[in-house]
Amino acid sequence: MQTLNISDLPESLQTLLHQIAETGEAISITDGDRPLAIISPTTKPKRAAFGSAKGTGKIIGDIVEPTSNLVTWDVLS
C-alpha cells in the first residue's frame, strides 16, 4: 500500500482519485507517523442477471382459483 503525507496531497484530489480507480491500489494518508485515512477504490458486487430471486417465492394454496368467493369473474362462467 502506498503512503502519502497529508502535506503532499495535491490541490485537486481528482487526479489522485482517478489514479486509485485505475490502479486499484489503496493509498494511506498520514500526518507524520500517525495514519489518518485509507483511500481505496470501491468494488461493485457481482449479481446474477437472471435467477437472483430463485427459490424465494412460496405458493400457498391453489394458484388458479379466485382468491375470494365474493368476486364473480366472467371468464369462469
Side-chain angles (χ1 to χ4, degrees), residues 29-76:
I29 308 297
T30 60
D31 186 15
D33 294 333
R34 188 179 67 171
L36 295 176
I38 295 175
I39 302 174
S40 64
T42 59
T43 57
K44 266 189 168 176
K46 293 189 177 185
R47 193 188 96 165
F50 298 102
S52 61
K54 182 180 180 182
T56 60
K58 186 175 181 183
I59 297 175
I60 302 175
D62 191 359
I63 61 171
V64 180
E65 291 289 320
T67 57
S68 173
N69 291 335
L70 302 175
V71 178
T72 306
W73 291 9
D74 293 335
V75 178
L76 297 177

